[in-house]
Amino acid sequence: MKAFKLYFKVMRSSVATILTYLGIFAVIFNFVIQAYLPSEKEDLNIQEHKIAVFDADESPVSKAFTAYLAEHAEIVELEDTEIAINDALFEGDAYYVIRIPQGFGEQMLDPECHNAELNARGSVYVHLSIASAQLVESYQQTFQVYKQAFGGRIPADKLEETLNLIRTDLQGEVSTRAFQGGDTSKLSVLGVSYNYTFYIIIALLSAVIGGTLISMENQNVKRRDLVSGIPERQRTFGIFLATLLFSVVLWVFLLVILYSWLGFDLLNNSKSPWLIGVSFVHMVAILAIVNFFITLLRNKGSLNFFSTVFSLALSFTSGVFVPLKFIQTPVQKVASFMPTVWAVKANDSIINMPEQTPDYSFVWQSMGIMLLMATAFLCLTLVLRKSRQRSIA
Amino acid sequence: MFRHITKYKTMALVKDQASLFWTLFFPIVLVTVFYLAMSGLLSSDTYQFDPVTVAVVTEDAKQEDLAAFETFLDHVGVPGTPDEEDGPLQADADPQDAYIIYTKVDPDEARTLLDKNQVYACIEVGETVTMTAKNARSSSTWLNGSVLHALLERYAQVKNTMSSITKLAMTGAIRPGPDFEDKIRQAFESDSGLNEDDRGAKKGDVLIYFFAILGYLTIFPMSTTVLSVAEIEANQSPRAARSWLAPYPKWKRFFAEILPVVVLYSILNMIIYYYLGVLGVDFGSRTGYILILLLLGTLTGIFMGTAVGSLFKGTPGIKTALGIGLPLSMAFFSGMMAVEIRKMIKDSVPFLHKINPVALVTEGLYSLYNYSTLDRYFEIVIRLSIFLVIAIVLTIIGLRRSNYESI
């Protein structure tokens, strides 16, 4: 147990570093959970339309159209410059910008014209652009209906009355209600959050464990330990046990943060133990891989680069940040040589598992594959350490 | 002396092959992996609007409402079937131009489908239309609510219009001709449906991920320079103690030490930019402006590192953790890992968003790609320059008037 104790003694000198890493990743993790956490409000959150209108026509029809838009959307006042418009669309200050050209009113009233020309631009938020486009189309459609009702031409003396009628008709209301479901929506957030823990575990383990492990593998420290009579096998076992214990503590810490945000009652859900199981096996597999690479590297200077590349590359290719459906098949195939993609797939499978006829065979298979990877990397690490020991001797 | 220090620092950088390898290897591998993971977004049609899945309950609907709503459903959607394995509702026909995929069910089943996330919302048809969905703060499914709400409003508006026109006809305000009904129907069907322009994101919007990773890589040198202050502080390294004996101003020594790092990372970020171009990521034609922005970002990253290194007198471990963690956090907040986070930060902590240098570089690249004028670009350049000046000033404040009595 001397190596076990020594590991923690060495680690004690980097407590501040570990806490700094933990703090940074805890903040990131907190934002992720906040971003996906469902609201408990009874009213349904519907994003209000934000539309900017530039009316070059100033006709009664265009004014009525603008007034209708103002009743159904927040009209954003923008400077009529490209930069202001682009900024508003990019920043989400406006979701739709409508430019009413001169002659719009005449075109709308023209019996031969079925769709008056409008210039519109949507924002990066495709859904909100579509919703705003609906508002515009609805007005034009209703106007055309009234035009046809009057035989293709709205009489001039009836125009104002018709425009008022259109505005009244377009007051169509839809009532909305927020669904207060059981644990299901929280479970899907739990699944996403577990996926993010994979990234944090990879980044933390490679950065935090690595530094201490490299110090322990310093030739002088190693020689001193061997001279003191500790068998190499016992020393390796002690180090592995210490890294495992430390990883478990980190993992539990992350899970406590996770459940404290989402509610500890989720632990009672039948899917929670499976998610925890997958997460634990993933953590063990990552620990084995990190141990192998750190043993291979032995260079503290390279550790920071390694941990950043390793954690980001693994997470991006394994579907932690971007859903797996967006990742190309060859990339997924390459990523399947690492445990994270299996953990992400297992999580997705658990979250979408039917309650009545659950089939956890894929989850077992994924955990088995991850354990096999852990064993393989552990063996590789042992072989590497053995060969290094010979060279020291 | 300046030239002498610069020369030897350059030689030291080049001869430390392990560090040089990782310095070059890290960004190349990162952007390659990032490209491989994200190229699906660039090339495919997957990053677009997917039809909203809904469960329709018509139990309380009158016959006339039911007929009208079914016509509406035929117009805006395609029918679907609940997935047997509790997956999302599957369309029975090609949903190419559809806004929604719907299934007609009883209230209990609708509730179950909603609870299991098999549908986004439940619509109850009656005197009025009621839409029920889950509240989620920040996801694309949350935005589905806006589309569905707008569609249902249109249905209610059409109902109102029909009712008004019937009244007008009854009062004699309009005189329906023989083809009146056909014309009215044609007018209602004049809607062109889901436009191709509305469906998918523009390429520049997908490129935000690549802009963010370039932004991250420009600030990443911070992780290297956060420790380089130790090389000129006599109480932090033996080499610094020795060189401090030479009668040469500390600030000059500092800039002589930092110059090779600036050159190395500037070249590296240029290589990364051209490398992404070779991979097929098109950042637009304003190469000169892009390179200036990348250079400015690199300088900001380098001097942020020196500022942190000189101001925090903690152990190298903490400095390293900050050097690695801060650029990562900034990249995270600017949407490199999830674009929703960027909007969330902008809405909830706008100040953080405004001073985040990774977000500034990201937005600068976006403005160069999407805007025809350069006003926005220059505004970002000015903000980034102010940030850079603050970082340099903080570095100088951290470095000046150190006492070394007890080395």
Side-chain angles (χ1 to χ4, degrees), chain A residues 27-248:
Chain A
V27 168
I28 289 180
F29 194 39
N30 180 30
F31 271 100
V32 170
I33 296 174
Q34 288 295 316
Y36 292 100
L37 200 65
S39 160
E40 300 288 336
K41 280 193 335 191
E42 283 189 15
D43 295 336
L44 183 63
N45 279 338
I46 298 286
Q47 182 70 49
E48 197 183 359
H49 304 278
K50 290 181 183 173
I51 300 178
V53 186
F54 298 104
D55 184 2
D57 192 40
E58 297 277 341
S59 66
V61 177
S62 72
K63 280 181 183 166
F65 175 54
T66 311
Y68 152 78
L69 289 174
E71 281 170 9
H72 290 79
E74 182 191 335
I75 299 294
V76 182
E77 295 295 332
L78 285 182
E79 232 182 287
D80 190 3
T81 59
E82 190 202 347
I83 183 168
I85 293 169
N86 279 330
D87 276 357
L89 290 173
F90 180 58
E91 297 291 349
D93 296 333
Y95 302 130
Y96 212 60
V97 177
I98 300 168
R99 197 176 284 283
I100 304 173
Q102 274 187 347
F104 171 79
E106 279 172 27
Q107 271 191 31
M108 286 286 274
L109 291 166
D110 184 352
E112 303 301 319
C113 179
H114 296 295
N115 234 339
E117 203 177 301
L118 267 180
N119 297 319
R121 269 188 68 191
S123 75
V124 295
Y125 304 101
V126 181
H127 295 73
L128 301 173
S129 301
I130 291 175
S132 304
Q134 288 294 319
L135 274 184
V136 176
E137 285 204 17
S138 191
Y139 191 87
Q140 289 198 319
Q141 190 187 52
T142 310
F143 196 96
Q144 292 306 318
V145 168
Y146 271 95
K147 206 162 80 177
Q148 293 307 323
F150 281 104
R153 183 187 297 275
I154 300 173
D157 60 322
K158 301 256 181 180
L159 181 61
E160 198 180 329
E161 188 190 336
T162 309
L163 291 175
N164 287 335
L165 262 177
I166 291 172
R167 273 176 71 178
T168 315
D169 287 351
L170 294 177
Q171 297 296 335
E173 281 201 2
V174 174
S175 61
T176 56
R177 212 166 36 208
F179 180 74
Q180 304 295 338
D183 285 345
T184 319
S185 56
K186 273 191 176 176
L187 262 179
S188 61
V189 180
L190 189 67
V192 173
S193 306
Y194 262 106
N195 285 352
Y196 269 88
T197 62
F198 297 153
Y199 163 65
I200 294 172
I201 283 283
I202 302 166
L204 272 178
L205 290 192
S206 49
V208 169
I209 285 187
T212 315
L213 210 58
I214 288 171
S215 301
M216 292 287 288
E217 289 307 296
N218 181 287
Q219 298 288 313
N220 294 330
V221 176
K222 208 166 180 179
R223 282 198 181 107
R224 194 192 64 192
D225 280 357
L226 292 175
V227 168
S228 71
I230 308 171
E232 171 63 12
R233 197 180 299 168
Q234 203 177 319
R235 187 175 186 274
T236 305
F237 178 74
I239 292 173
F240 280 8
L241 196 65
T243 53
L244 180 64
L245 180 68
F246 183 71
S247 308
V248 170

Side-chain angles (χ1 to χ4, degrees), chain B residues 295-352:
Chain B
L295 175 67
L296 199 56
T298 309
L299 285 171
T300 308
I302 286 170
F303 284 101
M304 271 172 68
T306 55
V308 171
S310 64
L311 290 174
F312 291 90
K313 306 291 181 192
T315 61
I318 298 178
K319 288 181 184 176
T320 307
L322 287 172
I324 295 285
L326 286 179
L328 256 181
S329 311
M330 290 173 198
F332 171 78
F333 293 143
S334 64
M336 187 177 87
M337 294 151 194
V339 97
E340 286 100 343
I341 301 291
R342 186 184 164 278
K343 183 165 165 46
M344 187 194 168
I345 295 292
K346 193 200 159 268
D347 292 344
S348 55
V349 204
F351 178 70
L352 181 66

Side-chain angles (χ1 to χ4, degrees), chain B residues 235-345:
Chain B
N235 57 350
Q236 290 185 33
S237 76
R239 195 174 75 84
R242 196 190 64 194
S243 63
W244 196 70
L245 292 174
Y248 194 65
K250 196 181 196 178
W251 68 273
K252 283 187 182 174
R253 195 159 53 235
F254 167 72
F255 283 105
E257 289 263 3
I258 218 74
L259 186 62
V261 181
V262 171
V263 173
L264 175 73
Y265 276 104
S266 302
I267 292 171
L268 187 61
N269 281 327
M270 272 172 65
I271 292 172
I272 295 298
Y273 166 71
Y274 283 109
Y275 176 63
L276 275 169
V278 170
L279 286 178
V281 183
D282 177 20
F283 287 101
S285 55
R286 291 162 159 173
T287 305
Y289 291 109
I290 292 173
L291 293 179
I292 289 171
L293 188 66
L294 294 184
L295 175 67
L296 199 56
T298 309
L299 285 171
T300 308
I302 286 170
F303 284 101
M304 271 172 68
T306 55
V308 171
S310 64
L311 290 174
F312 291 90
K313 306 291 181 192
T315 61
I318 298 178
K319 288 181 184 176
T320 307
L322 287 172
I324 295 285
L326 286 179
L328 256 181
S329 311
M330 290 173 198
F332 171 78
F333 293 143
S334 64
M336 187 177 87
M337 294 151 194
V339 97
E340 286 100 343
I341 301 291
R342 186 184 164 278
K343 183 165 165 46
M344 187 194 168
I345 295 292

Side-chain angles (χ1 to χ4, degrees), chain A residues 16-17 20-21 24-25 27-28 31-32 34-39 41-47 49 68 72 82-83 86-87 90-93 95-96 115 122-128 130-131 133-135 137-138 141-142 144-146 148-151 158 165 168-185 188 196 199 297 299 302 304-306 308-309 312-313 316-317 321-322 325-328 331 352-356, chain B residues 18 22-23 26 29-30 33-34 36-41 43 46 49-50 85-86 99 111 114-117 124 129-135 137-138 140 142-147 149-154 156-158 160-161 164-165 168 173-174 180 183-184 187-188 190-195 198-202 205 208 216 220 317-318 320-322 324-325 328-329 332-333 336-338 340-346 353 363 366 371-373 375-376:
Chain A
T17 312
T20 312
Y21 271 118
I24 289 167
F25 283 108
V27 168
I28 289 180
F31 271 100
V32 170
Q34 288 295 316
Y36 292 100
L37 200 65
S39 160
K41 280 193 335 191
E42 283 189 15
D43 295 336
L44 183 63
N45 279 338
I46 298 286
Q47 182 70 49
H49 304 278
Y68 152 78
H72 290 79
E82 190 202 347
I83 183 168
N86 279 330
D87 276 357
F90 180 58
E91 297 291 349
D93 296 333
Y95 302 130
Y96 212 60
N115 234 339
S123 75
V124 295
Y125 304 101
V126 181
H127 295 73
L128 301 173
I130 291 175
Q134 288 294 319
L135 274 184
E137 285 204 17
S138 191
Q141 190 187 52
T142 310
Q144 292 306 318
V145 168
Y146 271 95
Q148 293 307 323
F150 281 104
K158 301 256 181 180
L165 262 177
T168 315
D169 287 351
L170 294 177
Q171 297 296 335
E173 281 201 2
V174 174
S175 61
T176 56
R177 212 166 36 208
F179 180 74
Q180 304 295 338
D183 285 345
T184 319
S185 56
S188 61
Y196 269 88
Y199 163 65
L297 276 174
N299 181 347
S302 323
N304 298 329
F305 291 107
F306 166 75
T308 314
V309 169
L312 285 177
F316 272 116
T317 51
F321 300 137
V322 183
K325 68 174 179 178
F326 292 134
I327 296 167
Q328 289 179 334
V331 180
N352 297 317
M353 190 76 70
E355 295 271 348
Q356 281 77 28
Chain B
W22 280 103
T23 306
F26 164 74
V29 169
L30 192 62
V33 169
F34 195 83
L36 289 173
M38 296 292 192
S39 54
L41 282 181
S43 59
T46 44
F49 169 73
D50 288 326
E85 295 184 346
D86 289 359
Y99 290 103
R111 195 180 162 78
L114 194 52
D115 196 24
K116 287 181 179 173
N117 292 327
E124 290 162 76
V129 178
T130 307
M131 166 186 162
T132 310
K134 287 176 181 170
N135 264 335
R137 269 184 210 163
S138 177
S140 57
W142 164 63
L143 298 173
N144 278 336
S146 298
V147 176
H149 190 260
L151 285 171
L152 293 175
E153 264 190 350
R154 275 191 85 168
Q157 290 164 351
V158 168
N160 289 347
T161 308
S164 299
I165 286 177
L168 283 177
I174 54 170
F180 178 74
K183 281 188 172 173
I184 294 291
F188 271 124
S190 65
D191 176 12
S192 53
L194 188 53
N195 294 323
D198 292 334
R199 269 197 96 82
K202 290 167 271 308
D205 310 331
I208 286 177
Y216 168 62
F220 185 77
I318 298 178
T320 307
L322 287 172
I324 295 285
L328 256 181
S329 311
F332 171 78
F333 293 143
M336 187 177 87
M337 294 151 194
E340 286 100 343
I341 301 291
R342 186 184 164 278
K343 183 165 165 46
M344 187 194 168
I345 295 292
K346 193 200 159 268
H353 182 75
E363 284 175 23
Y366 181 86
Y371 299 11
S372 62
T373 60
D375 308 22
R376 181 87 174 105

